[in-house]
């Protein structure tokens, strides 16, 4: 019964990156009022910086989706 949802997955580092999916590659998906959207982002920095950038992006993206949905 939720109207909002967000999910993330990716490679925060320091290892795990491969050709085509380097460290800092993050996929996000969100649902707002049954409308699904996804995006791939690339962040740089340490593991903690990538994680912090992911959270900041995810929350701002979700807020913008809510605002544009009316």
């Amino acid at each position: 019964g939720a109207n909002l949802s967000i999910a993330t997955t990716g490679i925060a580092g320091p290892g795990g990156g491969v050709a085509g999916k380097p460290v800092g590659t993050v996929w996000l998906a969100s649902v707002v009022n049954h409308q699904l959207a996804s995006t791939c982002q690339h962040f740089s920095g340490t593991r903690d910086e990538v994680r912090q950038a992911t959270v900041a992006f995810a929350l701002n993206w979700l807020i913008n989706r809510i605002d544009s949905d009316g």
Side-chain angles (χ1 to χ4, degrees):
N3 291 328
L4 303 172
S5 176
I6 194 153
T8 65
T9 189
I11 306 165
V18 297
K21 286 193 278 184
V23 169
T25 302
V26 178
W27 277 93
L28 303 98
S30 67
V31 176
V32 175
N33 293 326
H34 307 286
Q35 297 298 312
L36 173 66
S38 63
T39 184
C40 181
Q41 299 295 311
H42 299 276
F43 303 111
S44 61
T46 65
R47 177 179 179 81
D48 192 48
E49 290 168 337
V50 169
R51 293 174 72 194
Q52 288 180 23
T54 299
V55 170
F57 180 89
L59 293 175
N60 284 322
W61 184 48
L62 188 60
I63 289 166
N64 288 333
R65 292 205 58 218
I66 293 166
D67 287 346
S68 67
D69 192 51

